[in-house]
Every structure is written in structure tokens, then in C-alpha cells.
């Protein structure tokens, strides 16, 4: 399946390569780098070369480029590359060129375990942490002195079970489970404030700290709203299809349970409204008056509000007065950032100038 993996920084330099089946020359990356230099914002995910297929993703300012010699299911490789970045995020708290270079040894150990002769083997964080201990200062010093590695000498018992995503023998003094529902609303609103188009992209992140082998169920008030859903492998899909209930044995720790999409056929409630007045004249000073307020929040407080206003190219600078929060204007990208914070109903946030 996957012969080689190259990790490339934003400047186009290959700073890590890993080969599983046979060594693929680094010159194969030239096909990708030519497109990167010519059209950095329009790189196709799959590039067909005379002898290879190149699959790439971009996360954290670095590009992961997988090289395959035969045809393959493209989403399979793309999902694996995203899983590699997620594991790096879990181990090193971020996936950047600096963190990868600081943890070269652990990175190669992880890639050795995640692929076996080019095919995915162990991709669950719980299993990998039993195989390869996450790096810390004391362990790094001890390994340097003794010559040992982070790789465990015993095979995790959970890897060969029917539930490979959960490690065995989990014990907690305080059993608790946290669920975060995060939704991003994309909307087009006309000048009068009416919603022309709106859709929601949401996901549920979990932090599970339960002993033993817990079996959980999660139900929704109106699951028919979901247009498109994607689940963690722990979810029993047949029960979701028949009863619209999430039934699962969760991994230990942090993981994403599901992601979903809500389309325009349902009424998407926008949590805030914006009253705006923007006047622009050629060669003269313009005027901006913008007010933000809560809308259909069901009594909840709206917090951490941030606005980005894209200005025309003719705007050189913004001199504004905000009664709440702080603003910055980037003269290169022409984007006005206004960090509002919490919306107080008694005194609505306003920015003008």
C-alpha cells in the first residue's frame, strides 16, 4: 500500500523520510514541490506521476506526502495521514517541524508500529502508548544513559482483542466523563439581517476517565437533523441505523466520538446578530459602525465572540473606537480582527470610526 512517507516544511524542504517496502528516491517529491511553488493554495490531494501516486495533506504548517506504486483507495491513505498527525498531536501536543525534529526517535518508532510493510497496523493512541511511552525529560535522560528505547518489550493485550482502541486494566479513583459539543456555523446573511444560507459543521469531543470496560449510550433530542455523520470505530453502527442512539465502549482518555453536518433544509439558528453601517468613498475616509448582539440563545450567555471583517484593498488603515474588547487591523491581508469577548445584554458591543 504505502511505500514511503516524506514530511516537508512550508519552504519545500524534506526534513524526514520513512520507507517501509523499498527505498523511493527523494526526487519523487519534485512533482509535488513544483505544484507547491506554482499554486500553493490549490494543491490536488492526489498527484499521478509516471511510476507513483503521491497523496498529501497539510496540517500544522507541514506537508505529509505518502508514496504508493499501485492504485489504492485514496480516502484510505488520506485518513491514515490524518491519523498520523493526530497521534503526533497526542504525543507532542502539536505537530510542527520543530516538535518533529526534537522527537525524531519517537517519531520513527511510532511510524514503525503504525504501518507494517506498508499496511496500517496499530493506529489507536491507547495501544501505541502501551507500546511506545510518550517522551518526557526523565525518560529521555534515562534512555540516553542506559541506551534503552521507549518501545515496550511486551505486546499490549488490547491490540489483539475485539476492542483494540481501549487498553486493559484501566482504574480510576474518580470515575468521570466529559463531552464537548462544538459547532461551526457558516451563513450568508443579507443587509436586512435575514439568513439566506446557513449550515453547521459540528463534532463531539470526549474525555473519558472510567474504570474497567464501560458501555455507554448517548441519545439526541432530534437525531434526524444530522445530514452526514462520521463515527469513531467504537460506535456500534447497526444500533445507530436502527435506533439513532450512540452505543459504544469508549477509549481511555481524549478522543473524537463523532462529527456531523446539518444542512440548509433545516432552520439553523444564528446565535448572534450584527447591525452594520459601512460607507466607503474613493480617495476619502470611510465610516464603519458595527454592533453585535445575542439572538436565539435560550437564556445562555454568549462568550468568546470574535469578528473578522474583510476590508477592500483600498483601505490603508483603520482608526476605530470599541466600547468593548480589542481590535487589530492587518494592512497586508486587509482583515480587521475584533475580539469582543462576552456579550452583555445591557450594553451591546459596538465599534465605530
Amino acid at each position: 500500500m504505502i511505500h514511503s512517507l516524506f514530511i516537508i516544511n512550508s519552504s519545500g524542504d524534506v526534513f524526514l523520510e520513512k520507507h517501509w517496502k523499498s527505498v523511493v528516491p527523494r526526487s519523487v517529491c519534485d512533482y509535488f514541490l513544483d505544484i507547491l511553488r506554482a499554486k500553493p493554495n490549490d494543491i490536488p490531494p492526489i498527484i499521478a506521476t509516471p511510476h507513483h501516486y503521491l497523496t498529501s495533506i497539510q496540517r500544522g504548517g507541514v506537508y505529509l506526502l505518502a508514496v504508493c506504486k499501485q492504485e489504492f483507495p485514496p480516502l484510505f491513505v488520506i485518513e491514515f495521514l490524518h491519523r498520523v498527525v493526530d497521534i503526533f498531536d497526542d504525543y507532542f501536543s502539536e505537530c510542527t517541524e520543530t516538535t518533529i525534529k526534537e522527537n525524531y526517535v519517537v517519531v520513527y518508532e511510532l511510524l514503525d508500529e503504525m504501518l507494517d510493510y506498508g499496511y496500517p497496523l496499530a493506529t489507536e493512541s491507547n495501544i501505541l502508548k502501551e507500546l511506545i511511552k510518550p517522551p518526557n525529560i526523565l525518560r529521555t535522560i534515562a534512555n540516553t544513559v542506559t541506551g534503552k528505547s521507549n518501545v515496550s518489550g511486551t505486546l499490549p493485550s488490547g491490540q489483539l482483542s475485539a476492542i483494540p482502541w481501549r487498553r486493559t486494566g484501566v482504574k480510576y479513583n474518580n470515575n468521570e466523563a466529559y463531552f464537548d459539543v462544538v459547532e461551526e456555523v457558516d451563513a450568508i446573511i443579507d443587509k436586512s439581517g435575514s439568513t439566506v444560507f446557513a449550515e453547521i459543521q459540528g463534532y463531539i469531543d470526549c474525555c473519558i476517565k472510567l474504570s474497567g470496560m464501560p458501555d455507554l449510550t448517548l441519545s439526541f433530542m432530534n437525531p434526524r437533523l444530522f445530514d452526514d455523520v462520521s463515527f469513531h470505530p467504537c460506535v456500534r453502527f447497526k444500533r445507530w441505523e436502527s435506533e439513532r442512539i450512540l452505543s459504544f465502549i469508549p477509549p481511555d482518555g481524549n478522543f473524537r466520538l463523532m462529527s456531523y453536518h446539518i444542512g440548509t433544509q433545516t432552520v439553523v439558528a444564528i446565535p448572534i446578530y450584527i447591525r452594520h453601517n459601512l460607507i466607503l468613498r474613493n480617495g476619502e475616509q470611510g465610516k464603519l459602525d458595527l454592533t453585535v448582539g445575542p439572538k436565539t440563545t435560550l437564556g445562555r450567555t454568549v462568550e468568546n465572540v470574535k469578528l473578522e471583517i474583510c476590508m477592500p484593498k483600498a483601505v490603508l488603515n483603520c482608526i476605530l473606537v470599541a466600547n468593548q474588547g480589542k481590535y487589530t487591523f492587518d494592512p497586508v491581508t486587509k482583515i480587521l480582527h475584533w475580539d469582543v469577548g462576552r456579550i452583555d445584554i445591557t450594553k451591546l458591543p459596538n465599534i465605530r470610526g
Side-chain angles (χ1 to χ4, degrees):
M1 178 69 75
I2 300 176
H3 280 69
S4 302
L5 174 68
F6 297 92
I7 302 183
I8 305 169
N9 62 17
S10 55
S11 303
D13 300 323
V14 179
F15 65 91
L16 186 143
E17 59 183 271
K18 171 69 177 170
H19 307 280
W20 285 277
K21 289 190 174 183
S22 57
V23 176
V24 177
R26 188 177 287 192
S27 58
V28 74
C29 299
D30 292 342
Y31 295 97
F32 170 81
L33 296 176
D34 290 342
I35 299 176
L36 176 64
R37 296 186 187 100
K39 296 183 290 184
N41 297 323
D42 192 22
I43 302 173
I46 311 294
I47 301 171
T49 71
H51 303 289
H52 303 90
Y53 293 97
L54 309 181
T55 307
S56 64
I57 67 166
Q58 193 268 341
R59 295 258 306 261
V62 298
Y63 296 90
L64 273 72
L65 184 68
V67 181
C68 304
K69 289 188 176 181
Q70 292 87 23
E71 287 194 13
F72 58 91
L75 289 178
F76 187 83
V77 177
I78 290 172
E79 175 63 24
F80 174 77
L81 293 178
H82 280 291
R83 184 61 63 90
V84 170
V85 179
D86 291 339
I87 294 297
F88 289 171
D89 283 335
D90 196 15
Y91 265 72
F92 316 127
S93 74
E94 60 179 357
C95 179
T96 61
E97 181 182 1
T98 304
T99 54
I100 291 174
K101 286 182 175 180
E102 289 174 351
N103 299 278
Y104 264 140
V105 175
V106 180
V107 167
Y108 276 108
E109 290 170 349
L110 287 170
L111 293 176
D112 267 330
E113 296 297 337
M114 293 185 74
L115 274 186
D116 181 30
Y117 199 60
Y119 290 88
L121 178 63
T123 58
E124 290 295 334
S125 179
N126 277 254
I127 297 299
L128 286 168
K129 284 182 177 177
E130 286 193 57
L131 281 167
I132 302 163
K133 302 298 181 185
N136 59 44
I137 296 175
L138 292 176
R139 189 175 292 121
T140 302
I141 295 173
N143 290 346
T144 304
V145 174
T146 60
K148 294 181 179 180
S149 70
N150 287 359
V151 181
S152 172
T154 58
L155 186 69
S157 56
Q159 187 174 12
L160 303 177
S161 71
I163 310 170
W165 53 83
R166 185 173 180 85
R167 59 192 179 95
T168 56
V170 180
K171 292 183 180 180
Y172 287 102
N173 293 328
N174 297 320
N175 289 290
E176 48 193 11
Y178 298 96
F179 296 87
D180 283 335
V181 181
V182 181
E183 293 185 338
E184 298 175 0
V185 182
D186 292 321
I188 298 174
I189 301 172
D190 62 17
K191 194 172 183 180
S192 63
S194 302
T195 303
V196 178
F197 168 86
E199 63 178 2
I200 292 176
Q201 192 68 39
Y203 48 88
I204 300 177
D205 284 342
C206 308
C207 179
I208 307 294
K209 297 181 179 180
L210 300 173
S211 304
M213 199 67 67
D215 200 328
L216 308 181
T217 56
L218 181 66
S219 59
F220 299 94
M221 293 289 290
N222 192 358
R224 293 183 180 87
L225 290 176
F226 298 140
D227 284 340
D228 189 18
V229 289
S230 174
F231 296 117
H232 188 276
C234 69
V235 175
R236 298 182 178 97
F237 189 64
K238 287 186 177 180
R239 186 168 182 187
W240 167 260
E241 283 189 316
S242 60
E243 303 176 38
R244 293 298 176 187
I245 291 177
L246 292 185
S247 174
F248 57 99
I249 297 175
D252 180 47
N254 298 297
F255 69 100
R256 179 158 294 177
L257 179 64
M258 69 174 288
S259 59
Y260 58 87
H261 175 264
I262 298 176
T264 53
Q265 71 271 15
T266 56
V267 179
V268 175
I270 311 298
I272 62 173
Y273 67 85
I274 298 175
R275 290 200 300 265
H276 57 86
N277 183 21
L278 178 61
I279 301 172
L280 294 171
R281 299 186 183 92
N282 288 332
E284 298 181 21
Q285 284 189 346
K287 290 184 179 181
L288 171 68
D289 190 346
L290 195 146
T291 304
V292 185
K295 178 183 176 183
T296 62
T297 58
L298 302 176
R300 301 186 182 93
T301 304
V302 181
E303 298 177 332
N304 301 325
V305 178
K306 296 181 181 179
L307 271 70
E308 288 186 5
I309 300 103
C310 300
M311 292 293 181
K313 292 182 179 180
V315 176
L316 301 178
N317 195 14
C318 291
I319 303 171
L320 307 169
V321 176
N323 68 348
Q324 181 177 328
K326 296 180 180 179
Y327 79 91
T328 57
F329 177 71
D330 188 342
V332 178
T333 60
K334 306 296 183 182
I335 295 178
L336 172 66
H337 295 268
W338 182 23
D339 191 345
V340 180
R342 181 174 176 271
I343 294 182
D344 187 359
I345 303 176
T346 59
K347 186 181 179 182
L348 295 178
N350 173 267
I351 188 169
R352 62 178 63 189

